[in-house]
């Protein structure tokens, strides 16, 4: 519930029920009369010079800009100190892979009105209105800057929104990820590289600053949960420790395929010499004969170098995420897949087969595929032997049952496979084809 005051009359307008963080902020920005907007959170405290420091830093630039505090000093159920850096130090590759900034900002009101926050309330896939705003701001030519020695004392609650989010939600797709825009931003980034990927140790300067300690003292007078910082009790980190690899991999995809649009996207773990892979490759060869169709193959798992590989059909575009992403970021293959489909194949039919890559995609971001036609390749069941008896593996059947609302059609190389499937999951009746 948001209660707004008319800036002209001073009287309170009737309460407005928006049930959305983004819409509430937009209402507040429109109702404000000042030239500058500073977002707030009633849970937190700010240092005594907070508004002055942010305003001074913003006034130093005539360019479009959003200014952030330099430090987030967390207290409550968790304790840490985070230091923020300006966009020129962070770089767009880190920004593509995660949010290195925060929701507390100051900006010129007219510029925020032009950007506006996105409504992400109750969205099963997208969240992070502040991350989305910053992505769109950078795409629109804004600079992200920092006010030195401005501190937010950031309350940590066990039931906060960030702690209760289930799964890894994403910022909505926006112009930042459009291949032309991303390539333009990355070209500028490559001319002035960001700071190296490391955690700069600022704990000594922070804990030994008499100025910072005076701010902590005043905050403690308001809320005793805010405590002085001792190096052995708190974690100190910067977002410069975030990897650039996700953003660089996406940039490489944009460079190779950004000018194309695909009608069909095939998701496979890898191109090995297995029978299922051979069948799907032959299917793709047939699809490529139709001049109205353009096919993209996305491989989402790492294949050991010694494993035999199936040849790639001539003319087929292939994105091998196992080759583009380092092992520690392979958990983000589903996120990269979404960015690829959103920006290279927004209306595509999506084909997939059962594998850890598909399982992760459906678990993390299955709702994304709801607007797409999804075609599933189904082959003979897997079996294993236990104490001399053969047991059918039910993992794939469980996967198909759980994702029935997203799978539109099933293709198999044998009618018997489909008959058994329909017997076990009758809702697939009429939605299968043997080729």
């Amino acid at each position: 519930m948001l209660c707004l005051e008319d800036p002209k009359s001073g009287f309170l307008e009737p309460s407005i029920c928006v049930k959305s963080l983004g819409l509430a902020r937009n209402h507040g920005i429109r109702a404000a009369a000042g030239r500058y907007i500073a977002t707030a959170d009633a849970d937190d405290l700010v240092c005594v010079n907070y508004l002055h420091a942010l305003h001074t830093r913003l006034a130093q630039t005539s360019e479009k800009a959003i200014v952030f505090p330099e430090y987030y000093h967390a207290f409550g159920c968790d304790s840490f100190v985070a230091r923020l850096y300006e966009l020129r130090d962070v770089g767009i590759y880190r920004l593509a892979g995660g949010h290195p900034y925060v929701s507390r900002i100051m900006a010129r009101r007219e510029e925020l009105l032009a950007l506006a926050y996105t409504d992400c309330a109750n969205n099963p896939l997208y969240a992070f209105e502040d991350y989305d705003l910053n992505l769109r701001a950078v795409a629109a030519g804004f600079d992200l800057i920092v006010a030195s020695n401005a501190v937010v004392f950031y309350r940590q609650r066990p039931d906060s929104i960030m702690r209760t989010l289930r799964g890894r939600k994403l910022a909505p797709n926006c112009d930042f990820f459009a291949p032309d825009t991303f390539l333009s931003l990355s070209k500028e980034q490559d001319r002035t590289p960001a700071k190296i990927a490391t955690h700069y140790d600022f704990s000594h300067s922070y804990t030994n600053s008499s100025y910072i300690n005076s701010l902590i003292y005043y905050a403690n007078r308001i809320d005793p949960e805010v405590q002085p910082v001792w190096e052995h009790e708190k974690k100190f980190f910067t977002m410069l420790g975030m990897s650039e690899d996700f953003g660089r991999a996406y940039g490489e995809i944009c460079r190779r395929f950004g000018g194309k649009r695909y009608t069909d996207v095939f998701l496979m773990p890898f191109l090995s010499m297995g029978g299922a892979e051979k069948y799907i490759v032959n299917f793709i060869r047939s699809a490529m004969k139709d001049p109205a169709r353009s096919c993209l193959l996305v491989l989402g798992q790492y294949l050991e170098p010694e494993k035999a590989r199936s040849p790639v059909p001539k003319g087929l575009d292939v994105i091998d995420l196992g080759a583009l992403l380092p092992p520690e970021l392979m958990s983000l293959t589903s996120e990269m897949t979404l960015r690829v489909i959103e920006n290279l194949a927004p209306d595509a039919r999506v084909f997939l087969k059962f594998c850890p890559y598909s399982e992760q995609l459906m678990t993390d971001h299955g709702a994304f595929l709801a607007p797409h036609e999804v075609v599933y390749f189904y082959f003979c069941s897997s079996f294993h032997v236990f104490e001399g008896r053969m047991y059918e593996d039910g993992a794939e059947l469980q996967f198909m049952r759980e994702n029935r609302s997203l799978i539109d059609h099933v293709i198999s190389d044998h009618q018997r496979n489909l008959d058994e499937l329909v017997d076990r999951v009758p809702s697939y009746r009429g939605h299968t084809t043997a080729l």
Side-chain angles (χ1 to χ4, degrees), residues 84-359:
L84 278 64
Y85 284 80
E86 301 196 341
L87 181 62
R88 66 172 182 268
D89 296 323
V90 173
I92 65 132
Y93 295 128
R94 290 190 182 106
L95 191 60
H99 194 205
Y101 292 99
V102 294
S103 61
R104 299 294 294 252
I105 65 171
M106 179 180 283
R108 297 176 181 91
R109 177 176 175 271
E110 61 182 24
E111 293 175 353
L112 274 185
L113 281 173
L115 282 173
Y117 284 91
T118 300
D119 178 15
C120 293
N122 302 316
N123 190 300
L125 182 66
Y126 299 121
F128 308 124
E129 293 87 347
D130 50 330
Y131 184 17
D132 170 70
L133 181 86
N134 294 331
L135 288 171
R136 289 187 291 108
V138 171
F142 279 70
D143 195 7
L144 306 183
I145 57 179
V146 169
S148 299
N149 288 323
V151 183
V152 171
F153 296 95
Y154 180 42
R155 190 184 304 277
Q156 297 286 281
R157 296 184 182 275
D159 58 349
S160 68
I161 293 176
M162 290 299 295
R163 291 177 181 273
T164 55
L165 278 178
R166 294 182 179 179
R168 179 182 166 87
K169 288 196 174 186
L170 308 178
N173 191 45
C174 65
D175 287 344
F176 179 87
F177 292 105
D180 288 349
T181 302
F182 196 85
L183 288 175
S184 175
L185 292 170
S186 62
K187 186 179 296 185
E188 186 175 337
Q189 167 78 70
D190 293 339
R191 283 198 293 265
T192 55
K195 286 186 179 294
I196 58 173
T198 186
H199 286 302
Y200 280 78
D201 185 5
F202 62 96
S203 58
H204 181 78
S205 61
Y206 190 87
T207 55
N208 288 277
S209 168
S210 58
Y211 175 74
I212 294 293
N213 281 311
S214 69
L215 298 178
I216 298 171
Y217 170 76
Y218 291 126
N220 173 265
R221 297 287 298 273
I222 299 172
D223 192 325
E225 288 190 58
V226 179
Q227 289 292 313
V229 179
W230 289 280
E231 203 165 332
H232 63 279
E233 287 188 352
K234 288 191 184 290
K235 302 181 286 289
F236 292 80
F237 64 89
T238 77
M239 294 309 180
L240 298 181
M242 293 171 59
S243 171
E244 292 186 297
D245 289 330
F246 183 95
R248 289 190 178 279
Y250 184 70
E252 179 61 24
I253 292 170
C254 290
R255 275 186 285 274
R256 293 173 59 191
F257 309 109
K260 299 184 178 182
R261 288 295 178 270
Y262 298 95
T263 62
D264 300 271
V265 177
F266 295 82
L267 308 181
M268 292 173 59
F270 32 64
L271 272 180
S272 64
M273 295 297 290
E277 284 77 9
K278 181 179 179 181
Y279 179 89
I280 295 173
V281 167
N282 287 335
F283 184 97
I284 296 174
R285 284 196 179 98
S286 297
M288 290 173 63
K289 293 178 182 178
D290 183 351
R293 312 220 66 80
S294 53
C295 299
L296 175 67
L297 174 60
V298 183
L299 308 177
Q301 291 175 221
Y302 179 72
L303 181 62
E304 298 294 336
E306 64 273 12
K307 300 288 186 181
R309 285 163 163 75
S310 176
V312 178
K314 185 178 180 180
L316 175 63
D317 289 339
V318 180
I319 297 175
D320 187 351
L321 299 182
L324 285 173
L325 293 172
E328 62 270 18
L329 291 186
M330 287 301 288
S331 61
L332 301 183
T333 54
S334 59
E335 183 171 331
M336 184 67 82
T337 302
L338 264 63
R339 296 304 182 201
V340 167
I341 295 176
E342 286 172 328
N343 295 283
L344 302 183
D347 302 313
R349 179 187 297 156
V350 178
F351 296 81
L352 54 86
K353 70 179 290 288
F354 182 68
C355 61
Y357 172 39
S358 297
E359 285 186 286

Side-chain angles (χ1 to χ4, degrees), residues 37-77:
I37 294 291
T39 56
D41 189 331
D43 273 1
D44 304 333
L45 304 174
V46 296
C47 63
V48 293
N49 68 326
Y50 177 81
L51 293 176
H52 179 267
L54 268 64
H55 176 265
T56 300
R57 180 67 184 93
L58 190 58
Q60 291 172 350
T61 176
S62 59
E63 305 296 325
K64 295 188 294 186
I66 295 175
V67 60
F68 300 86
E70 184 175 17
Y71 297 109
Y72 252 47
H73 180 127
F75 69 98
C77 69

Side-chain angles (χ1 to χ4, degrees), residues 385-391:
V385 177
F386 179 70
E387 294 184 349
R389 293 181 175 179
M390 185 174 291
Y391 292 84

Side-chain angles (χ1 to χ4, degrees), residues 1 9 19 45 74 160 198 209 363 381:
M1 189 73 73
S9 67
K19 297 182 180 179
L45 304 174
S160 68
T198 186
S209 168
T363 299
S381 300

